Amino acid sequence: MIYFDYNATAPVMREAREAWLNVTEKIGGNPSSMHQFGSRAAIVLADSREKLAAYLGCSPADLIWTSGATEANNMVMHHFARKLGPTGEVWISAIEHPCVFDSAQHYFGKRAKLIPITTDGVVDVDWITTEMADTRPGLVSVMAANNETGIIQPWREIQAICKAYGVPFFTDAVQFIGKMPCSGLGECDYVSGAAHKFGGPRGVGFLKIPHRSQITPLLFGGKQENGRRAGTENVAIIASMMAALEVREKQISRSEHLLRKLWRDNFEHQFLRTLPGASIIGLNQPRLWNTVAAIMPDGDRKHQWVIRLDKAGFAVSTGSACTTGKEEPSHVLSAMGFKAALAVRSVRYSAGWETTEADWDALIAALGKVHAEAQHGKA
Ligand code: PLP
């Protein structure tokens, strides 16, 4: 079975497993304990925080460990709901992940205004500039890269606009971190990330908050994380996450992702030749090097492709893993202006650092075969 669903989750890399085992076996203490076991755990935690801060370009004190990005993203919306009160308004891009989208809807309802998306799948920066001249929201939230399309969003530009107007800016960088360099993300007021998208374990992530500021906790009952998130820190999975990020940052610094982008681009070229009537979403936009979001040929619904490819030995997805199973058009494609009939034909192929050129070649061969069989079946 060849795995093409890395945007849903990635396999845990060897270095991350070893780091987890090492801390689990050698560092048994609770980082809040006063004895030597506790101090050793606290040192691992502090080292991890320093490492992450250096990658992002922020202070270690700005970082809170969480159970993943869903928690971090909910924490941001919960915090702003408290901070802004009953009249406060937030702007979120129309293509945010459900854990930002639904959380904003929950806390703000109609006061969560959607930032439109261009037909190219990019957040409309002109809309932000024009609107901001009139109104200042309490928060702007735009993800760094979209999980369904892989399209990289102009987060640096939006961060600079927000900074100029004194509006806090939040970016969900879950899909960006570990595929693209982290540097500069620390400039954003709030940033979230999750280890399982870049080869770390599931169930761990972080939230970066503005320097020296406080955040309204979601969880109470302990003074961990400077009173910002109660609960004993899971030191081993945090160290494991950082081991994975270290490997990814090294690979990125050696430009190893550029070769992988080439393989993906070659695949797309062949894909369009092999499957008449198919198209690739955001083909000419800056995209993550691992993602292909495609509209499959007419007449074939996406679930049929996912099932047929699964039988042929390839794990692909219908879009966001969290919305898999529902035959509704994705909110991302709807925001881009895709009609439902077209949007339900979308299939996502997302590779990872471990994916080889031969894997892409095998996928194209399987797609050709599956398509031919489907055409034959119809005749
Ligand atoms: N944000 C984005 C863009 C995602 O792709 C995901 C996971 O699919 C999440 C947030 C949620 O992350 P987690 O699984 O760590 O809760």
Side-chain angles (χ1 to χ4, degrees):
M1 195 80 187
I2 302 181
Y3 190 69
F4 273 99
D5 200 12
Y6 278 76
N7 285 8
T9 196
V12 181
M13 69 167 79
R14 179 181 51 80
E15 291 84 347
R17 284 199 300 268
E18 284 173 3
W20 181 85
L21 204 59
N22 187 40
V23 174
T24 301
E25 284 178 352
K26 298 194 183 133
I27 318 272
N30 180 327
S32 301
S33 300
M34 302 291 282
H35 47 64
Q36 288 183 33
F37 291 105
S39 321
R40 285 207 288 271
I43 288 169
V44 174
L45 211 54
D47 285 350
S48 302
R49 219 184 289 274
E50 264 172 37
K51 229 183 241 174
L52 181 57
Y55 287 137
L56 296 172
C58 65
S59 160
D62 306 345
L63 297 170
I64 302 168
W65 306 117
T66 65
S67 64
T70 299
E71 181 190 335
N73 294 351
N74 273 267
M75 205 189 252
V76 174
M77 292 304 155
H78 171 255
H79 172 67
F80 276 91
R82 287 291 179 94
K83 185 176 166 180
L84 301 175
T87 55
E89 183 177 289
V90 295
W91 295 356
I92 64 164
S93 92
I95 56 169
E96 293 301 296
H97 187 273
C99 66
V100 171
F101 202 90
D102 294 353
S103 167
Q105 297 286 324
H106 171 75
Y107 288 113
F108 292 94
K110 288 199 171 69
R111 291 179 291 111
K113 203 163 166 179
L114 294 188
I115 307 170
I117 305 301
T118 67
T119 49
D120 290 327
V122 182
V123 167
D124 190 342
V125 179
D126 290 343
W127 184 94
I128 296 178
T129 319
T130 312
E131 290 287 311
M132 202 129 358
D134 281 345
T135 344
R136 307 282 153 79
L139 174 75
V140 167
S141 171
V142 175
M143 69 203 322
N146 184 262
N147 45 303
E148 293 187 30
T149 63
I151 296 173
I152 296 174
Q153 301 301 320
W155 58 270
R156 289 175 203 272
E157 211 181 321
I158 300 169
Q159 182 272 329
I161 296 168
C162 288
K163 190 174 176 192
Y165 284 104
V167 173
F169 176 64
F170 166 47
T171 194
D172 166 347
V174 166
Q175 295 291 344
F176 191 88
I177 293 174
K179 298 187 188 102
M180 303 298 288
C182 280
S183 68
L185 279 169
E187 296 286 317
C188 304
D189 300 301
Y190 298 82
V191 183
S192 60
H196 72 107
K197 306 291 185 179
F198 54 79
R202 282 166 275 278
V204 60
F206 70 88
L207 177 65
K208 184 258 159 189
I209 67 168
H211 193 41
R212 295 190 193 288
S213 72
Q214 273 301 323
I215 190 156
T216 321
L218 264 182
L219 306 176
F220 293 91
K223 295 278 175 240
Q224 290 90 350
E225 301 297 294
N226 272 328
R228 299 173 299 190
R229 198 245 186 202
T232 305
E233 293 95 341
N234 189 334
V235 182
I237 59 169
I238 291 166
S240 174
M241 167 164 71
M242 290 319 301
L245 189 57
E246 199 170 347
V247 171
R248 295 310 179 217
E249 281 283 316
K250 274 191 191 136
Q251 287 176 301
I252 295 165
S253 72
R254 293 192 295 256
S255 298
E256 287 179 24
H257 55 304
L258 298 183
L259 179 62
R260 288 164 175 80
K261 180 180 179 304
L262 206 66
W263 297 340
R264 190 277 312 266
D265 291 350
N266 286 341
F267 166 83
E268 289 186 336
H269 189 68
Q270 291 185 56
F271 177 88
L272 294 173
R273 285 205 335 223
T274 308
L275 300 172
S279 59
I280 288 164
I281 299 164
L283 186 63
N284 299 316
Q285 293 307 313
R287 276 178 302 148
L288 296 174
W289 50 265
N290 75 318
T291 307
V292 180
I295 301 289
M296 301 307 283
D298 197 7
D300 285 333
R301 292 174 87 78
K302 57 186 176 182
H303 282 155
Q304 291 165 359
W305 277 100
V306 173
I307 291 160
R308 285 185 201 135
L309 284 169
D310 187 60
K311 279 190 190 139
F314 296 84
V316 306
S317 156
T318 58
S320 159
C322 308
T323 55
T324 300
K326 286 192 280 176
E327 191 71 341
E328 287 168 10
S330 108
H331 73 288
V332 174
L333 300 192
S334 300
M336 289 173 69
F338 278 88
K339 294 267 185 304
L342 212 57
V344 294
R345 281 164 42 199
S346 70
V347 172
R348 180 184 71 187
Y349 309 91
S350 55
W353 287 97
E354 291 83 4
T355 309
T356 63
E357 189 175 18
D359 292 337
W360 282 114
D361 289 345
L363 178 60
I364 200 73
L367 280 163
K369 196 161 168 271
V370 165
H371 184 53
E373 281 167 8
Q375 294 299 105
H376 188 69
K378 268 188 216 155

